[in-house]
């Protein structure tokens, strides 16, 4: 079900007019639908019913406390990649034993923090890291549960920047090498070696690469069993794609079915780390046209949002649908939709056919719930937008718009730099 719909030419989020929210909170802002978030989580999680599983929402996709709280209330765990994400998760109320921690460069202080927080498992990505976790756990008088993140060398057929399961990527330990690393790790005194993890990339729109990876993982699982290492947790990562334009990713039910079929052990607990598939289409960014300008053949619409607010088009040339918040049935034009930042890469769309619009009108940049706010910055000293959650006919500011004071928080001018 879609909770961003037009009624009488006005865009609604659930049962509230988006234009009414904009009038109250200003622009730009991120807007999330509570009903959509909840439904996406449930659909994904229910798809794995019937087997032991834990859905660990991937915090990097959207780390706002209210969003995390919502998923935690639905029974979610969290997939984190930094001490900062751990802090957020704990603030939102996660139980330590529902956290998995991935990432190629976990710092010692973050390892300590995570061990003290009693996380479920580290997904380790190198031999040095495995030894470091053993040392840190020993120092703290604890045992740390680990998985080795294996790199299965399958092509996820996605954008090269978000593909992670190929040999040439920096992630994980090559699957053929992993067996030996398991033997080494299993002899370390402060580790419980109980997991295999495997995340091959993001925005995957076919099931095949997941299956190919899992077949390789199954083989490793068997080899480990014969060597006396009993794996209890299989973490298949995230990566299921969504429709931005005309992609046809598999429904979570179909994805889950394929995984369940390929899994060959009922004693395993399956861990998933979905981000985009839950968040992506549950959020939009609302921005206002500041000016339009014609230059030769070209028409530019200059918005009050910019690449610092939503980086995906600039960084990956990603497509985001852009829709008017009010439909006026004007003539169609072809325009570049750009932000005010001093970079030619500051665009949301190029050569986009759309209804002509006027200054002060609102636009919705769709599918912006995942990797939107979390990748935003203060470039050009722009304050970051507020985030709003709609529930039925009410809206809630879940993060205030930054102020100029926020921009300089923590900055210090040393005394020797006297006033001019
Ligand atoms: N688990 C691990 C270990 C990951 O690295 C990622 C994403 C996920 C789970 C969640 O993947 P998802 O279900 O969201 O595909 N900024 C990029 C996406 C980067 C994804 C990084 N890793 C974008 O905007 O497209």
């Amino acid at each position: 079900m879609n909770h961003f719909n037009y009624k009488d030419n006005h865009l609604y989020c659930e049962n509230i007019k988006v234009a009414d929210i904009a009038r109250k909170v200003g622009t730009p802002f991120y807007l999330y639908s509570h009903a959509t978030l909840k439904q996406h989580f449930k659909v994904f999680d229910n798809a794995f019913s019937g087997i032991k599983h834990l859905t660990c929402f991937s915090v990097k996709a959207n780390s706002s406390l209210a969003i995390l709280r919502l998923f935690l209330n639905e029974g979610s765990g969290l997939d984190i990649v930094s001490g900062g994400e751990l802090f957020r998760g704990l603030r939102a109320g996660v139980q330590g034993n529902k956290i998995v921690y991935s990432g190629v460069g976990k710092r010692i202080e973050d390892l300590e923090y995570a061990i003290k927080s009693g996380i479920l498992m580290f997904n380790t990505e190198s031999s040095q890291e495995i030894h470091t976790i053993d040392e840190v756990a020993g120092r703290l008088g604890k045992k740390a549960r680990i998985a080795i993140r294996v790199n299965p060398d399958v092509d996820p057929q996605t954008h090269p920047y978000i593909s992670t399961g190929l040999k040439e990527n920096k992630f994980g330990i090559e699957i053929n090498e992993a067996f030996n690393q398991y033997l080494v790790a299993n002899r370390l005194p402060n580790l419980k070696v109980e997991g295999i993890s495997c995340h091959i990339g993001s925005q995957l729109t076919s099931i095949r690469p997941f299956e190919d990876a899992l077949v390789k993982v199954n083989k490793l699982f068997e080899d480990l069993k014969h060597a006396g290492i009993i794996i209890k947790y299989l973490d298949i990562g995230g990566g299921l794609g969504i429709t931005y334009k005309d992609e046809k990713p598999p429904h979570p039910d179909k994805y889950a079915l394929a995984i369940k079929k390929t899994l060959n052990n009922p004693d395993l607990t399956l861990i998933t780390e979905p981000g985009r598939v839950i968040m992506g289409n549950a959020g939009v960014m609302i921005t206002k046209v500041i000016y339009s300008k014609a230059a030769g053949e070209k028409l530019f619409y200059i918005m009050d949002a910019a690449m610092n607010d939503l980086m995906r088009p600039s960084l990956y040339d990603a497509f985001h649908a852009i829709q008017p918040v009010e439909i006026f049935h004007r003539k169609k034009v072809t325009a570049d939709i750009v932000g005010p930042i001093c970079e030619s890469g500051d665009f949301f769309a190029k050569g986009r056919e759309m209804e002509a619009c006027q200054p002060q009108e609102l636009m919705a940049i769709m599918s912006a719930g995942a990797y939107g706010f979390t990748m935003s910055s203060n470039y050009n000293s722009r304050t970051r937008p507020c985030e709003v959650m709609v529930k039925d006919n009410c809206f809630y500011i879940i993060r205030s718009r930054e102020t100029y004071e926020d921009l300089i928080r923590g900055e210090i001018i040393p005394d020797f730099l006297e006033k001019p």
Side-chain angles (χ1 to χ4, degrees):
M1 208 203 306
N2 188 349
H3 293 279
F4 295 95
N5 281 316
Y6 288 96
K7 276 182 236 163
D8 301 330
N9 295 321
H10 288 279
L11 182 64
Y12 278 70
C13 177
E14 301 193 16
N15 288 316
I16 184 163
K17 258 190 198 167
V18 171
D20 287 346
I21 306 174
R23 210 167 301 121
K24 290 185 181 134
V25 308
T27 51
F29 66 98
Y30 276 94
L31 179 62
Y32 309 107
S33 151
H34 176 266
T36 311
L37 289 164
K38 198 164 159 174
Q39 174 179 330
H40 284 182
F41 182 85
K42 276 181 184 294
V43 166
F44 190 90
D45 193 51
N46 288 343
F48 291 94
S49 61
I51 58 169
K52 280 201 277 181
H53 73 282
L54 177 63
T55 304
C56 289
F57 173 68
S58 189
V59 175
K60 64 178 84 62
N62 192 305
S63 58
S64 296
L65 294 178
I67 302 265
L68 300 183
R69 173 69 62 82
L70 190 165
F71 296 139
L72 296 177
N73 286 342
E74 296 301 315
S76 186
L78 299 178
D79 153 46
I80 61 163
V81 290
S82 69
E85 288 190 349
L86 175 55
F87 175 75
R88 284 183 167 282
L90 293 171
R91 271 296 165 92
V94 71
Q95 293 162 15
N97 64 4
K98 283 186 158 184
I99 298 176
V100 289
Y101 190 168
S102 311
V104 289
K106 305 178 192 79
R107 301 176 307 172
I108 288 182
E109 53 270 43
D110 294 334
L111 295 174
E112 282 173 2
Y113 183 22
I115 292 171
K116 286 181 185 160
S117 306
I119 68 162
L120 176 63
M121 183 164 87
F122 289 101
N123 292 334
T124 61
E125 308 217 16
S126 66
S127 160
Q128 285 187 4
E129 184 196 348
I130 293 171
H131 283 89
T132 307
I133 295 177
D134 177 59
E135 275 162 35
V136 175
R139 188 150 35 80
L140 297 175
K142 303 248 164 118
K143 284 210 180 239
R145 184 179 291 109
I146 67 154
I148 291 183
R149 175 171 175 183
V150 297
N151 183 330
D153 195 25
V154 299
D155 185 355
Q157 287 156 354
T158 184
H159 190 287
Y161 282 15
I162 52 179
S163 120
T164 49
L166 279 169
K167 241 192 208 159
E168 68 248 36
N169 298 132
K170 69 179 174 184
F171 299 96
I173 293 179
E174 219 194 304
I175 194 151
N176 300 322
E177 165 61 17
F179 181 75
N180 290 330
Q181 292 298 334
Y182 270 100
L183 297 184
V184 175
N186 200 40
R187 285 196 290 270
L188 296 176
N190 308 304
L191 299 182
K192 288 191 270 185
V193 182
E194 293 181 350
I196 303 179
S197 89
C198 179
H199 167 87
I200 54 175
S202 197
Q203 183 54 11
L204 272 71
T205 50
S206 88
I207 287 179
R208 191 61 200 273
F210 291 113
E211 291 170 327
D212 291 349
L214 210 48
V215 166
K216 293 190 177 185
V217 166
N218 277 340
K219 160 104 180 34
L220 176 62
F221 174 87
E222 289 301 324
D223 292 348
L224 290 172
K225 196 157 106 186
H226 290 131
I229 299 177
I230 305 300
I231 295 299
K232 297 185 186 156
Y233 297 92
L234 178 54
D235 181 343
I236 56 167
L240 190 57
I242 61 167
T243 304
Y244 285 97
K245 189 182 185 185
D246 46 19
E247 304 89 336
K248 294 203 170 43
H251 186 276
D253 283 344
K254 224 173 141 196
Y255 162 75
L257 195 66
I259 304 282
K260 286 186 204 171
K261 267 194 197 152
T262 322
L263 274 182
N264 55 5
N265 192 317
D267 296 331
L268 275 177
T269 298
L270 182 78
I271 297 174
T272 55
E273 303 174 351
R276 189 188 322 260
V277 67
I278 292 175
M279 272 314 304
N281 279 322
V284 302
M285 186 171 66
I286 306 298
T287 170
K288 192 157 53 180
V289 182
I290 307 181
Y291 301 118
S292 69
K293 132 168 158 177
E297 298 285 279
K298 282 197 92 93
L299 172 63
F300 293 100
Y301 286 127
I302 300 157
M303 316 303 289
D304 65 359
M307 65 189 282
N308 73 297
D309 303 304
L310 176 67
M311 272 189 82
R312 302 193 71 259
S314 307
L315 194 57
Y316 314 116
D317 212 9
F319 179 96
H320 283 261
I322 301 181
Q323 299 176 6
V325 168
E326 270 178 277
I327 300 177
F328 295 101
H329 300 290
R330 299 207 186 98
K331 69 172 179 12
K332 286 267 185 318
V333 294
T334 300
D336 284 11
I337 303 174
V338 303
I341 282 183
C342 308
E343 301 245 5
S344 299
D346 180 23
F347 64 88
F348 295 117
K350 286 193 165 167
R352 184 70 60 86
E353 199 185 314
M354 59 186 287
E355 195 178 298
C357 58
Q358 308 269 340
Q360 301 303 311
E361 288 175 7
L362 299 169
M363 293 285 180
I365 303 187
M366 308 304 286
S367 313
Y371 308 106
F373 193 95
T374 48
M375 290 172 70
S376 65
S377 77
N378 290 118
Y379 187 39
N380 275 207
S381 285
R382 289 169 53 86
T383 52
R384 286 183 304 165
C386 59
E387 292 180 284
V388 175
M389 186 187 285
V390 166
K391 183 166 186 290
D392 193 19
N393 57 2
C394 292
F395 74 88
Y396 304 85
I397 294 179
I398 61 167
R399 178 200 301 264
S400 313
R401 185 178 302 287
E402 284 181 344
T403 63
Y404 288 155
E405 284 301 322
D406 291 330
L407 281 183
I408 56 166
R409 175 149 307 126
E411 289 190 39
I412 297 163
I413 303 177
D415 286 345
F416 72 85
L417 295 170
E418 287 154 27
K419 268 203 173 155

